[in-house]
Amino acid sequence: MSSVPVLENVSPAEHIQQLERDYLLQNYARYPLTLHRGKGCYVSDLAGKRYLDMIAGIGVNALGYAHPRITKAIREQAGLLIHTSNLYYHEYQGRLAERLAQVSGLQRTFFSNSGTESMEGALKMVRAHGNKLHPEKFEIVSLDNSFHGRTFGALSITGQEKYRRDFEPMLPGVKFVPLNDPDALEQAVSERTAGIVIEWIQGEGGINPMTQEYARRARELADKYDALLVFDEIQCGVGRTGNYFAYQLSNPVVLPDIMVAAKPMSCGLPLGCIVANERAAAAIGSGMHGSTFGGGPLACRVALEFFDMMPELLPQIRSKGAYFRSRLAELQKRHGFIKEVRGEGLMVGVDMDVPGKQMVLDAIEQGMLMNCTHETVLRFLPPYIISEKEIDRSVGILKKIFKKQ
Ligand SMILES: Cc1ncc(COP(=O)(O)O)c(C=O)c1O
């Protein structure tokens, strides 16, 4: 690799880590691992050690690494057109928006570059909707323990004090309520509510699913008070649960007014979206929102390629997810410290009554990447292409790690 200089007495990985210590904001607490290349569900470090990737770039690398259809699309499109700005049309944005409308049940899309940016746009839509109806209709109801991103609006509705406290004051008019408590929700929503924002399955908050009853009450309350219901599908959406979007787990389907998604949409290229019904979309008129990069030809073309594969992937995500959870349930029987195995499809959490941080380090040692959220929940967001054999391997590694407890 030409970009890593060979220095005496310093390994390439140490050199890279030293550069980051000297020149980057010290906001990330990275694991001591420098990744270099990947293939399928495996990624390798600079020294060539392979890791089974059960977190996939926090739910981004949906087709793993170096998927031939994705690399082909990137190669071809990079030679044609990477960026145009939104001053002009290109071939792929409208086509991807049409696909999103077909699979979401919502009508109109705005493309962004990340999750938090999608949430910002959705919040502007909510505010503009409220403003049109009454100057005091600006409140947003969000959930305890939620995570919606790091920009100011998204942070303001993130129900975890630890992320917000250094940046107060936040956006005014945000109320937090507990998940799956419909009465608390009812008390918080009023004529002043412009929007209700919910993750169908809280990801960063510890893989906590919303009940259908709660979702239905949120829908009723949004309708009663002419507020917009927003589902944050950034982590749980775009196939992760074995449905295009997690709200499609409900029966009959509880449709939001606005849905935001991002992470896996373009298989590693930055792309996010806000998809809205006509009522919500009407809040945003000409010039009210925009993005220089959002919805560029490269990211949209790759996302279309990915969506073409989705009908084949979705049943596999459901069956592989069920298999993974059943194997984890076997481990739960053997280990009293495992309280619960939760999740849908390939969004899986193992809730424990012991800390998980050392387990994540042990997993790296054993050749597997996973994540721990909320101190005690091991989180797995593997690529959608994972095989049963790879799941068995991950369970084998977990067995070894759990034995140490
Ligand atoms: C549910 C949810 N919303 C929003 C975000 C923010 O997305 P991003 O990091 O792409 O800004 C995340 C990221 O983890 C998320 O899980």
Side-chain angles (χ1 to χ4, degrees):
M1 196 175 83
S2 60
S3 55
V4 182
V6 179
L7 302 176
E8 257 179 60
N9 302 325
V10 181
S11 75
E14 278 164 358
H15 178 65
I16 288 166
Q17 289 167 24
Q18 186 59 47
L19 282 176
E20 292 214 359
R21 273 194 294 278
D22 291 346
Y23 292 107
L24 285 191
L25 280 192
Q26 294 300 296
N27 57 318
Y28 293 120
R30 296 197 210 283
Y31 293 104
L33 183 58
T34 305
L35 297 175
H36 177 48
R37 66 195 306 162
K39 184 92 187 134
C41 294
Y42 284 87
V43 62
S44 312
D45 65 15
L46 275 179
K49 179 175 170 183
R50 290 198 331 147
Y51 303 83
L52 174 59
D53 192 353
M54 298 298 285
I55 188 66
I58 322 186
V60 168
N61 300 325
L63 297 179
Y65 297 91
H67 192 283
R69 284 182 64 170
I70 297 304
T71 48
K72 182 168 180 278
I74 290 174
R75 250 192 223 115
E76 275 177 20
Q77 190 57 36
L80 291 171
L81 198 62
I82 293 175
H83 172 75
T84 54
S85 85
N86 282 299
L87 290 173
Y88 313 105
Y89 295 95
H90 65 73
E91 289 167 70
Y92 300 106
Q93 211 178 110
R95 280 172 56 192
L96 183 58
E98 178 189 41
R99 188 71 63 86
L100 284 166
Q102 286 161 353
V103 299
S104 70
L106 301 167
Q107 279 79 43
R108 292 190 181 273
T109 294
F110 172 86
F111 288 108
S112 70
N113 310 285
S114 67
T116 199
E117 209 190 311
S118 303
M119 185 49 77
E120 288 303 312
L123 293 176
K124 282 175 76 178
M125 215 177 243
V126 164
R127 271 287 186 88
H129 169 82
N131 268 335
K132 270 191 193 165
L133 296 169
H134 194 281
E136 282 178 24
K137 192 174 178 63
F138 63 83
E139 285 185 1
I140 293 169
V141 178
S142 181
L143 299 191
D144 290 338
N145 217 26
S146 57
F147 184 82
H148 297 292
R150 306 275 195 163
T151 48
F152 256 103
L155 196 58
S156 297
I157 63 156
T158 286
Q160 299 187 58
E161 162 70 16
K162 66 178 179 192
Y163 292 116
R164 295 196 313 262
R165 69 175 157 241
D166 294 310
F167 308 102
E168 299 283 353
M170 297 275 109
L171 217 62
V174 180
K175 287 183 178 169
F176 292 104
V177 292
L179 173 67
N180 292 336
D181 181 345
D183 297 337
L185 181 65
E186 184 145 11
Q187 274 177 17
V189 179
S190 72
E191 294 291 351
R192 295 167 66 96
T193 308
I196 303 171
V197 185
I198 306 176
E199 287 164 84
W200 194 280
I201 302 175
Q202 287 182 340
E204 208 276 341
I207 316 290
N208 306 312
M210 166 166 60
T211 63
Q212 292 199 30
E213 185 208 351
Y214 191 76
R216 258 178 257 296
R217 188 75 75 90
R219 179 68 273 171
E220 283 161 20
L221 289 166
D223 290 341
K224 179 173 171 190
Y225 293 106
D226 204 349
L228 297 177
L229 180 60
V230 184
F231 287 161
D232 179 341
E233 293 262 352
I234 291 163
Q235 193 164 141
C236 60
V238 200
R240 179 57 58 192
T241 65
N243 297 271
Y244 279 97
F245 300 104
Y247 61 82
Q248 292 160 343
L249 286 162
S250 53
N251 185 14
V253 171
V254 179
L255 267 183
D257 300 297
I258 303 170
M259 179 269 295
V260 291
K263 285 183 183 287
M265 270 189 71
S266 193
C267 297
L269 296 178
L271 182 66
C273 66
I274 308 167
V275 192
N277 62 18
E278 294 289 8
R279 184 168 79 104
I284 299 291
S286 175
M288 284 173 66
H289 196 52
S291 165
T292 298
F293 286 111
L298 180 63
C300 286
R301 174 165 174 188
V302 171
L304 273 166
E305 191 71 28
F306 175 42
F307 273 80
D308 279 348
M309 296 171 67
M310 204 70 94
E312 213 177 299
L313 288 168
L314 292 177
Q316 288 178 37
I317 293 166
R318 290 194 289 272
S319 66
K320 302 288 160 46
Y323 178 69
F324 186 32
R325 286 193 305 280
S326 75
R327 298 285 340 257
L328 291 171
E330 288 168 18
L331 295 186
Q332 187 188 2
K333 280 190 201 136
R334 270 191 245 159
H335 299 284
F337 63 84
I338 300 180
K339 292 196 290 183
E340 196 182 7
V341 175
R342 290 193 291 265
E344 284 289 342
L346 289 170
M347 180 173 190
V348 177
V350 174
D351 194 354
M352 311 181 291
D353 56 21
V354 293
K357 193 171 173 202
Q358 185 56 43
M359 292 180 183
V360 174
L361 290 165
D362 291 348
I364 291 176
E365 191 63 36
Q366 298 285 334
M368 181 172 82
L369 306 185
M370 62 178 186
N371 173 255
C372 177
T373 187
H374 264 234
E375 321 271 309
T376 55
V377 183
L378 298 180
R379 176 171 51 166
F380 302 91
L381 303 167
Y384 299 172
I385 53 165
I386 193 158
S387 65
E388 286 196 358
K389 203 169 146 210
E390 285 158 339
I391 289 172
D392 287 342
R393 187 183 159 92
S394 79
V395 172
I397 291 174
L398 285 173
K399 265 188 199 166
K400 282 192 204 159
I401 295 168
F402 289 164
K403 257 195 202 148
K404 282 177 64 182
Q405 278 301 310

